């Protein structure tokens, strides 16, 4: 079974926000705001056959998670 495609948007030490694949050595994208980081992560996942998007808050905890189409949503209900 293949590992699901995913990206994490999290704050960097320099104050910018990064889009990173879990386990990657470097960021896929660096943006000045969280909103632009989320937008860029959605674009990257959409171009890469979909997957899971996780957003970490400033405290490091995951505050939002979303499946980007045409990813495999583990929940059968909408929302």
């Amino acid at each position: 079974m293949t590992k699901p495609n995913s990206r994490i948007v999290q704050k960097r030490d320099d104050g910018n926000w990064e889009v990173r694949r879990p386990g990657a050595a470097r960021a896929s994208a660096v943006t000045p705001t969280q909103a632009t980081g989320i937008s860029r992560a959605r674009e990257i996942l959409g171009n890469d056959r979909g997957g899971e998007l996780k957003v970490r808050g400033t405290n490091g905890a995951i505050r939002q998670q979303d499946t980007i189409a045409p990813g495999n949503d583990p929940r059968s209900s909408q929302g």
Side-chain angles (χ1 to χ4, degrees), residues 2-45:
T2 62
K3 194 173 185 180
N5 191 19
S6 65
R7 294 293 187 280
I8 298 173
V9 177
Q10 58 190 7
K11 191 162 189 162
R12 295 167 45 118
D13 292 336
D14 64 5
N16 289 322
W17 292 82
E18 68 182 5
V19 178
R20 182 182 296 262
R21 181 185 293 238
R26 62 187 185 99
S28 302
V30 177
T31 63
T33 65
Q34 187 180 44
T36 56
I38 293 169
S39 177
R40 181 67 181 128
R42 287 179 182 278
E43 182 180 322
I44 290 170
L45 285 169

Side-chain angles (χ1 to χ4, degrees), residues 4 51-52 65-68 71-77:
E52 293 295 313
Q65 187 169 343
D66 195 10
T67 301
I68 306 303
N72 185 16
D73 194 347
R75 297 179 65 184
S76 60
S77 63

